[in-house]
Amino acid sequence: MVKKADLSSGKASSILLILAVMILVLIVGVFIFIKFGATKKTADQTSTTTEDQGPPPPVYETQVGNVKFMVESAEDLGKVIRSTTTSYQQNLTTTERFIKVIVGAQNKGKENTQQGAWDVGNIIDSEGRNFVSINNQAYFYLPSQNFCGAILKPEFEFTPCINLYEVSRQSTGLKVKVVAAGGGGSKGGEDLLDLLIK
């Protein structure tokens, strides 16, 4: 009789132990499933959101150090810039296209900038090709008042810098480089601004 009771109580405790282990495994399995499902759902939402966003919006303003830059205009002038001054001066021509860019600069610091402490550099296309300003060759085709690199007084209106470039017709995604030196406790550097030109 005693042996039977011992045997059945041993059997009962074995069954309870097996049930406890199964419940523990079930709880761990449910926890892992929920955690994995939530992670996958978040990853799917993130990838969908990234795909829906498309390309980043264009940037027409930036601040480098104490100098804030803003694209005021960008214009495709075509293959010819006509002479408007004297009869001895010929038209400026290219096999590609001329682009005229006006970028304004404003001092956001507390002191005047130095002469030449900022500039508008090359145009760069989506393939990384650089197009240098032709202002030295096209000097007579620029307005007489061009203030690239001029001293900027704190919080005065934007000062325009006008540059002409000769750019390939194949180039797209054009950006212009802007540069400012450090000063007044700010770091200098460079950045790119988008140009709305096909």
Side-chain angles (χ1 to χ4, degrees), residues 1 22 40 59 74 83 86 91 97 103 108-109 140 156-157 159 162 167 169 177 180 183:
M1 227 39 198
M22 286 176 61
K40 187 176 179 195
V59 176
S83 170
T86 58
N91 295 336
R97 61 180 166 163
V103 174
K108 303 303 279 183
F140 293 107
F156 273 48
E157 290 293 316
T159 299
I162 304 168
V167 178
R169 289 207 163 275
K177 184 186 289 185

Side-chain angles (χ1 to χ4, degrees), residues 54-73:
V59 176
Y60 302 115
E61 286 186 19
T62 189
Q63 187 166 328
V64 181
N66 286 333
V67 181
K68 183 176 182 179
F69 294 95
M70 179 179 64
V71 175
E72 294 184 358
S73 70

Side-chain angles (χ1 to χ4, degrees), residues 1-15:
M1 227 39 198
V2 174
K3 284 184 180 179
K4 259 187 179 178
D6 285 347
L7 188 61
S8 64
S9 68
K11 217 175 191 183
S13 62
S14 298
I15 291 173

Side-chain angles (χ1 to χ4, degrees), residues 57-178:
V59 176
Y60 302 115
E61 286 186 19
T62 189
Q63 187 166 328
V64 181
N66 286 333
V67 181
K68 183 176 182 179
F69 294 95
M70 179 179 64
V71 175
E72 294 184 358
S73 70
E75 184 181 357
D76 184 340
L77 301 177
K79 294 183 175 190
V80 179
I81 299 176
R82 303 213 176 275
S83 170
T84 56
T85 54
T86 58
S87 56
Y88 73 85
Q89 191 176 6
Q90 297 181 356
N91 295 336
L92 201 58
T93 60
T94 181
T95 56
E96 298 301 316
R97 61 180 166 163
F98 292 110
I99 292 179
K100 178 181 175 183
V101 176
I102 303 176
V103 174
Q106 183 182 45
N107 182 357
K108 303 303 279 183
K110 298 187 183 310
E111 299 173 7
N112 289 356
T113 64
Q114 298 293 316
Q115 179 77 33
W118 63 277
D119 199 7
V120 177
N122 299 346
I123 285 181
I124 301 168
D125 71 7
S126 58
E127 300 294 321
R129 293 179 284 235
N130 279 267
F131 301 98
V132 180
S133 166
I134 60 166
N135 282 13
N136 289 340
Q137 303 99 294
Y139 178 77
F140 293 107
Y141 301 89
L142 291 166
S144 57
Q145 294 195 335
N146 193 9
F147 300 104
C148 298
I151 293 171
L152 300 176
K153 297 180 180 178
E155 289 298 338
F156 273 48
E157 290 293 316
F158 281 89
T159 299
C161 174
I162 304 168
N163 278 350
L164 288 174
Y165 300 89
E166 194 174 0
V167 178
S168 167
R169 289 207 163 275
Q170 301 303 314
S171 293
T172 57
L174 301 179
K175 297 175 183 285
V176 67
K177 184 186 289 185
V178 291

Side-chain angles (χ1 to χ4, degrees), residues 30-45:
V30 168
F31 176 76
I32 289 171
F33 177 77
I34 290 171
K35 181 122 174 135
F36 176 73
T39 305
K40 187 176 179 195
K41 189 174 181 181
T42 305
D44 289 346
Q45 285 176 343

